[in-house]
Amino acid sequence: MKLASLKSGRDGKLVVVSRDLTRAVDAGFIASTLQSALDDWAKTAPALDALSQQLNAGECAGTFDFDPKACAAPLPRAYHWADGSAYVTHVELVRKARGADLPESFWSDPLVYMGASDAFIGPRDDIPVQSEDWGIDFEAEVVVITDDVPAGISSEQARDHIMLIGLVNDVSLRNLIPGELGKQFGFYQSKPWTSFSPVLATPDELGDAWDGARLHLPLRASLNGKLIGSPNAGVDMTFDFPTLIAHCAKSRSLMAGTVIGSGTVSNVGSADGSCCLAEVRCLETIRDGEPKTPFMSFGDRVEIEMRDSDGSPLFGAIDQVVTRYYPPGSQAQ
């Protein structure tokens, strides 16, 4: 089944979406929000799945056209958002571009940071940023949503705790990152809004592309209509999702609705392009001695999507425009 949240209050209104993303039906009589559904997933999932089957069979009353513009993030507020760096080839490339070696431990111990989950934004919402000087970049990623995960779980056990799968644009402000990392205390100001695909899907919707740990399909990222890259998310993923979940749950349990990100999808050699501008710039630096591609500017449009083997969209597209943000008390120009 595929689930979305229409904009309504802070936590959205849960709807079930048809497999082809054209129709939807209100699921409020089962659970008012996706978080409430996840809180009681053993009970709500079968009911939501039955509604999904009725919708896809054309046997459901009260359906309406599905409009991604009306969508909030499927989980507008999540209790926990942990983003990994599962594609170590991406980290290796970034470090190589600045002349830094990659510690051997990076290949055996995942990098993970805890991001801001109090206000995710929808797939068609603008990306508001105060200054272009902050180095505005997109990052196309795959994410999974868990149910309650016990502390100390093994990676094999973690497979059974992946309930939903989707995409995110994990926006980064690249020019703010060095100062923050220099303090050796992680990201904060350099990680603003994170946006989601219109829908999240249960693993069974993905067929053979989902092997229980990785999603084996290209992830397309375009800027102003130009394809930047379409690397396969199932290739060169050093740490799969069960490994990331087990890593995050090593010393604490994870609550239902935890969002685990893959980090920027990247393939060795980047033959199929990149899922962020930082990687493009790193490749230019290695080849030419300096980067030539600028980071995003106000008015730029980024699109992120994944399609199945037949070319049909799986989660709907993230389609956003970068806009200038004016703080309270400032005067718009």
Side-chain angles (χ1 to χ4, degrees):
M1 61 185 166
K2 297 184 177 182
L3 304 175
S5 294
L6 302 184
K7 292 183 177 182
S8 178
R10 287 181 181 256
D11 296 301
K13 181 172 69 172
L14 181 63
V15 297
V16 174
V17 182
S18 62
R19 188 166 291 114
D20 63 4
L21 305 181
T22 63
R23 303 290 292 169
V25 62
D26 191 336
F29 67 96
I30 298 172
S32 58
T33 67
L34 181 53
Q35 182 60 57
S36 63
L38 288 162
D39 285 338
D40 194 14
W41 194 243
K43 178 180 178 181
T44 60
L48 290 169
D49 185 59
L51 184 60
S52 174
Q53 292 184 43
Q54 291 175 348
L55 175 63
N56 285 305
E59 301 170 350
C60 193
T63 65
F64 53 89
D65 291 340
F66 179 63
D67 181 7
K69 297 186 183 69
C71 287
L75 274 173
R77 294 189 293 179
Y79 291 116
H80 193 168
W81 158 226
D83 197 16
S85 193
Y87 300 85
V88 178
T89 180
H90 171 74
V91 183
E92 184 179 39
L93 183 63
V94 171
R95 293 178 71 92
K96 181 179 180 181
R98 66 172 191 261
D101 293 330
L102 185 76
E104 191 62 32
S105 63
F106 279 37
W107 293 101
S108 57
D109 191 27
L111 288 172
V112 176
Y113 80 91
M114 187 181 293
S117 61
D118 54 330
F120 292 136
I121 60 176
R124 300 294 193 271
D125 292 343
D126 291 340
I127 303 170
V129 182
Q130 189 173 339
S131 173
E132 292 177 337
D133 294 337
W134 289 351
I136 310 163
D137 198 0
F138 60 86
E139 290 190 63
E141 305 184 16
V142 179
V143 294
V144 300
I145 316 297
T146 75
D147 60 1
D148 289 314
V149 179
I153 197 170
S154 70
S155 57
E156 187 61 32
Q157 292 169 324
R159 288 172 173 254
D160 295 331
H161 292 275
I162 297 172
M163 301 296 105
L164 296 165
I165 302 163
L167 309 176
V168 300
N169 177 16
D170 179 40
V171 177
S172 289
L173 304 176
R174 299 293 186 183
N175 294 339
L176 299 185
I177 288 177
E180 292 205 290
L181 293 186
K183 298 176 183 178
Q184 298 185 356
F185 214 58
F187 303 120
Y188 195 87
Q189 293 175 335
S190 51
K191 288 292 185 178
W193 307 102
T194 298
S195 53
F196 277 68
S197 51
V199 307
L200 299 174
T202 49
D204 61 287
E205 289 286 340
L206 307 178
D208 294 339
W210 176 252
D211 64 6
R214 296 177 176 88
L215 183 51
H216 296 266
L217 287 168
L219 180 57
R220 296 174 58 87
S222 301
L223 182 62
N224 297 324
K226 177 185 177 182
L227 181 66
I228 302 299
S230 58
N232 193 303
V235 176
D236 301 321
M237 189 181 191
T238 309
F239 305 107
D240 61 23
F241 281 109
T243 299
L244 293 175
I245 293 169
H247 178 84
C248 292
K250 178 176 181 177
S251 59
R252 55 170 290 182
S253 57
L254 309 178
M255 297 297 101
T258 292
V259 184
I260 304 289
S262 67
T264 306
V265 173
S266 179
N267 292 166
V268 173
S270 301
D272 292 313
S274 303
C275 275
C276 70
L277 295 177
E279 185 167 295
V280 173
R281 289 166 58 88
C282 287
L283 289 166
E284 292 171 342
T285 299
I286 294 169
R287 184 185 66 240
D288 305 323
E290 62 179 3
K292 293 182 172 59
T293 299
F295 289 120
M296 291 194 292
S297 301
F298 300 139
D300 281 352
R301 178 184 178 190
V302 59
E303 299 168 88
I304 296 168
E305 68 172 347
M306 180 175 279
R307 293 176 176 268
D308 64 20
S309 57
D310 295 327
S312 300
L314 281 175
F315 309 104
I318 298 171
D319 187 348
Q320 300 179 280
V321 174
V322 180
T323 59
R324 183 171 181 177
Y325 171 72
Y326 294 93
S330 65
Q331 185 169 351
Q333 300 298 315

